Amino acid sequence: MHCAVLVFPGSNCDVDLYKAILQIKGATAEYVWHTDTDLDRFDVLLIPGGFTYGDYLRPGALAGVSPVIASVKKAANSGKLVLGICNGFQILIEAGLLPGALLPNQSLQFICDVVPVKVVQSKSPFTSSYNHGDLLRLPIAHGSGNYYCDEVTHQELESNGQIAFSFPPENNPNGSLAGITGLLNEQRNVLGMMPHPERAVKQWLGSTDGLRLFQSMLEHHTA
Amino acid sequence: MLKGVITVMLQPNVLDVQGQAVQGALKHLGFESVEKVRIGRQIEMILPTEDREAARLQLREMAEQLLANPVIEDFQIDIQEA
Amino acid sequence: MLKGVITVMLQPNVLDVQGQAVQGALKHLGFESVEKVRIGRQIEMILPTEDREAARLQLREMAEQLLANPVIEDFQIDIQEA
Amino acid sequence: MPQEPSPQQIAEQTIYREMGLNPDEYNRIVELLGRQPNYTETGIFAVMWSEHCSYKNSKPLLKLFPTEGPQVLQGPGEGAGIVDIGDGWAVVFKVESHNHPTAVEPYQGAATGVGGILRDIFSMGARPIALMNSLRFGTLDKAHNRYLLSHAVSGIAAYGNCIGVPTVGGEVFLETCYDENPLVNVFCLGIVKHDQIQHGKASGLGNPVLYLGNATGRDGIHGATFASEELSEGSASKRPAVQVGDPFAGKRLLEACLEIYQTGAVVSVQDMGAAGLTCSSTEMGFKGQTGIDLNLDKVPKRAESMTAYEIMLSESQERMLFVIEKGRESEVQKICDKWELPNAIVGEVTNNQHLSLFQDGQQVANLPLDACCELTPVYQREAHPPEKETLPKSSSPEKEPKNYLEVLKQLLVHPNISDKSWVYQQYDSMVGTRTAQGPGGDAAVIILEECQKALAISMDGNSRYVVLDPYLGGLITVAEAARNVVCAGARPLALTDGLNYGSPEKPEIFWQMQESVRGMAEACEFLSLPVTGGNVSLYNESRGEAIYPTPIIGMVGLIENLNHITPSNFQSLGDQIWLLGETFAELGGSCYQEISSGRIFGNAPKLELDREKNLQEAVLVAIESGLVSSAHDLSLGGLAVALVKASTESFTASVSFESALRADEFLFSESQSRILLSIPNQFSALLQSIMSERKIPSLLIGEVVSDQFRISFNDELLIQDQIQSLKACWRDGFRDYFTKT
Ligand SMILES: Nc1ncnc2c1ncn2[C@@H]1O[C@H](COP(=O)(O)OP(=O)(O)O)[C@@H](O)[C@H]1O
Ligand SMILES: [Mg+2]
C-alpha cells in the first residue's frame, strides 16, 4: 500500500502521519508537495492536519482550491482511498468531497485533549478492524471541529451509514451536531475525521487506538 | 479602479456561536437591549477596471469559488469608486 | 427597531496576514488583477429603538469597548431600518 | 513627508532622548564617530545601546553565571545556547520575554513573542520541537487582568498551534504586582545534529547578504527601546509599536530555512528580532570581524516611501538575514520561492569593519561595528537593600485553623494552585508526536526517537520568595527547576533564564537583581548547571511600582533510558507513599500565609545546596534502579496540596504523620528540598538504604488507596474526603474565572 502524504504550506502533522504509516508492515509513504498533481502512483491519499494557509479565511478553504485537489477528486471518484485528518477533514469538506461544514468550536477556543470517540460505522475500508460501538481514546486538537449540516443531509448521512465516528453525547467537546466527528462519503472510500489516529500509535503517546485505522486500510488494500 | 466589497454572513438558520458570545459580552458590559448579534466577514479589494458590471461578475465568481462557503454562508457584493 | 452594522478593518499600516494569503489564492484561481485584499469583520445587531443618534452613540461605545481593538483596528458604523 | 532632523538639530534639540539615549551616551557616540551621527545612525545606536540589545545594566551581573561545561557547545552570545546530548545530537534552547508588547496588545504581543523565540532556535540550525511559557498576570478578580491573560493565551496558542510546535508546559502565577505589567516569558527547545549547527558570523569578502521573509513595514519601530522603558500613560501613544505575528509565514520561513541549511551554502544566519535589520546586520558583521554593505532599495517593503531609519528599525516579524556563498544565490533563492517567501540579495560582506547603508545611490549611514556592538555603555548601578519593615515574629498565623478540610479546599481552588488546563488545553501539546508527558506534570517529557533518549523540561520561578529574600529566592528558583526535571527521571543538563525586574536605576531594585542573580549563580555552580543563555527584561513597572523581582528558569534534563521516565501521579493501589526531605515551620511567602493573613511576609523557606543536591541524586538513583512508580515535587501549598495533585480520580492517598510542628505548619509549609514518591511495597528496604546512604530524611507516610483521601496528624484524623470532590475544587478554581464570569 503506497500512500501519498499531501503537504501544503502550513501542513504540520505531515511528519506524524508519515511516521505512523511506516509503523504498519506492508505500507509505504511518500510526501507529495501541493503543486505536484500526478497522484497515479499512489494507492491511498492522506491529507494531514495542520494550518494550511494559516487557516486564514476559513480552515481548509484556501487549500481546498489548490491544484492538487482536482487530482484528489479524480482519485476519489475512481475509488481510491482518501483520508483527511483534522485540517485534512476541513479541506475535504471545503473541496466538496464531504458534505456539511466545520464551524468554530462551541467554546470558541482551540481544544487539545484526549477524548473518547465512538466507532459508529465499522463497515468501511477505514474502520473494519474496529467493532461497532467501540470506544476509542483519541487525541483531538482543533479550533474548528464543530460539525454542522442541515436536517436533510443529516438524515441522509444516517441512512447511508456515512457517520464513521462520533463523540458520546455526554462528552461532546466541540458542539458537533449529533457528536459527528468522522464522516464517510457515500461510496465509503473517503473519510474525514477530526480526531488524530496518527497521534495514537505508541504506548508512550497514551493510546494505540489509532493503529487499527491504518491496519484496516492495509487489509482493504491487500484484500 | 474600483473597490469591491464582499460581505459574507452566516445563513440565518446556522447557529452563530461567535455572535452569541459577543452578545453575551455586550450585555455584560451594560448594552442590555442588544439582540440578534451576528458576525460576518468583510473582504475588500481593488480591481483595476472601470467596468462595474465586469467587476460585479468577477466578485460574484470569487465569492462562489472561495470567499463564501455556500453550505453555511450568504454573501453580498458592493462596488465603490476606489 | 434599527439594525446597527459595525465594520472593523485593520488599520492600513498593519500587516493583514489573512488578506495576503487570500490574495495569493485568488491569483492562483485566475483573478490575477486583484490587489490590496483586506479582510475585516462585520458585526450586525438589532437595537430596539428608533432614535438613530442614540443608536449611533451606543454602537460607537460598543466598538470602542469591545468590538474593535483600537491598537490595530479602525471601525465604521452604519445604521439601517431593521 | 516631514524632513528628518539634521545631525546638528539632533544634538541641539536633544532629539536622541526621544530615542532612548541620554546625553552622556550621545556624547560618547559623537566621540566614537568623530562626528555627529545623522538621524538613521542615531536610531541605530539607540537600539543597539538599549538594554535589550546591549545588556548595559545587567552585563556585570550576568558574568556571575557559570556558562561552561563539557556538555556546552555554544554558550551565551548567539541566538540560543547549544548543549550536547550525545550520539551527534545537540539541543538548542532559550527563554525570551515579551512583557511590554503584551501589556499594550496581549494577543499580538504574546504571539510575536512565540514567533521570536522560535526564530532564535531555528536560526541556530535546529528544528524547534517544544515550547513552554511562563505567565505572570494580575489577579483574576479584575476584568482587565482576565482580558490580558485570556488574549495572551490565545495569542500563544494561535502562533504555536499554527506553526506546529507543541506547547508542552509552563506556569501561570497571579499577583497584584503584575496588574499593569504582565510578564510573558516563552521558552523554545530545538534539536540539531552537530554538523548542522549554524552561526551568525558574516565572513567571505563579497559574499551576498540575503533577506528572507515577510516584507518590511512600519511595524514596531521603537520596539527595542520601548521594551527597555517603563510603561506609562504615554505608552498608549507609542502604539504603532505593535507588530503583528504571521504564523503561516513563520511556518514557511522555518521550513525554508531548514531546507536552505541542507544546501551547505549558508555562511551565516541571524533572525531579525528586536531592532530588526539593524541588530542582525551589525552583529553578523561584528562577530565575523568583517563588515556589511546594505542596499536599502533592495529590501522588500510593504509600505511606500520608507526612510532608511524606518527600514533599519522596523520590527516586522518573520524575517531572517543570511550570508551565503557567492555563486549559490539562485540555488538558495529557488527554495525561498518554493515557500513563496519574499527574498532579495540586499548587500554584501566587506572587510572594512563598518555597516554602510545605501539608498537611492547615496550612502545614508556608515558606522563602525565595534561602536555598535562592543563599545556599548556598561553601568554599574548602585545597590542597597530596602528598609526592613517591622514584622510579626512568626510567619505562621496566630491560631490554628478549625477546619482543615476547608483550608485545603481554599488552597485547591486558589488560582495559583488550581488546575491550569483552561490555559493549556488551548495549546496543541501533542503535534510532532514526541510528547510523552505534556502539561499537567512536574516537567514535560519529550521523546527523541532519533537517539532513543528523552528530555525533561520545566519552567519555574516563585517571585514571592525572591521578593522576601532575593538571594535565597535565587537559590530556590534554580533548585526547584532542577528538582522538577529530576522528578520526571531526568538528569539536569543546563538551563536558560529570563530575568524580569523593575528599573535598575533604583538602588533597591538593582539590589534585588544583584542578590537574586548571585543566588541563582551559586546554585548553578553547586549543581554543575551551566547557563547557556537567557533574556533580561527591565523597567517592569507601572505607576512607579515595580513588579516583584521575577527570575524564571527554563531547565533541561536528559533521560538516557526511556524506562526511567517517571510520572507525577500515583500509579497503583497499595503503593507506599514516601516523603523525602525535612519539613520546617516555613510559611513565609506561602500560599497558606496568603489565604490566612491576606498578605505575605517573613522569611522565604531556607535552602541548603548540599541537601538539595543529595536529594536529587538519591531520587535519580531510586528512579534509575527501577524503584519508583511516581515522583512529585512539593511546592505551592505544601504537602497536603501535593498529595491531592499527585492523586487521580482513581488513586489517592491515605497518610498519617507524627510531628512536633503544628498541623498547619506541617501540612502547608513550603519547605524546600522535599519530594513525594510512590513505590511498590517490596522496594521499601532498597529505597531506605539509598536515602540513608545520602542522609536524606525519608518517611513512609501511607499508601495509595482508592476513593477516600485521608490525612491523620498525631493520631487525629484531620482531613477526610472523596478524592473526586477535592479534585473538582482543584479543577475548577482557575477555570471558573473564565467560564463563569
Ligand atoms: N502557561 C502554561 N502553559 C502550559 N502549561 C502550563 C501553563 N501553566 C501551567 N501549565 C502546566 O500545568 C501543570 C501544573 O503546573 P503547576 O501549577 O506549576 O503545578 P506543579 O506545581 O505541579 O508543577 C504543569 O504541568 C504545567 O506544565
Ligand atoms: Mg511547577
Side-chain angles (χ1 to χ4, degrees), chain D residues 466-479:
Chain D
V466 186
V467 79
L468 293 178
D469 184 337
Y471 167 73
L472 195 49
L475 291 178
I476 293 174
T477 307
V478 173

Side-chain angles (χ1 to χ4, degrees), chain D residues 211-225:
Chain D
Y211 172 112
L212 173 61
N214 270 353
T216 298
R218 292 192 174 90
D219 315 327
I221 293 170
H222 287 305
T225 45

Side-chain angles (χ1 to χ4, degrees), chain D residues 64-116:
Chain D
L64 298 174
F65 286 130
T67 58
E68 281 166 15
Q71 70 273 47
V72 178
L73 300 178
Q74 171 71 57
E78 287 276 353
I82 308 183
V83 176
D84 185 20
I85 54 167
D87 302 326
W89 287 93
V91 290
V92 182
F93 54 88
K94 187 165 173 276
V95 164
E96 183 70 78
S97 70
H98 244 214
N99 305 336
H100 293 111
T102 300
V104 175
E105 207 321 88
Y107 181 94
Q108 295 296 348
T112 51
V114 175

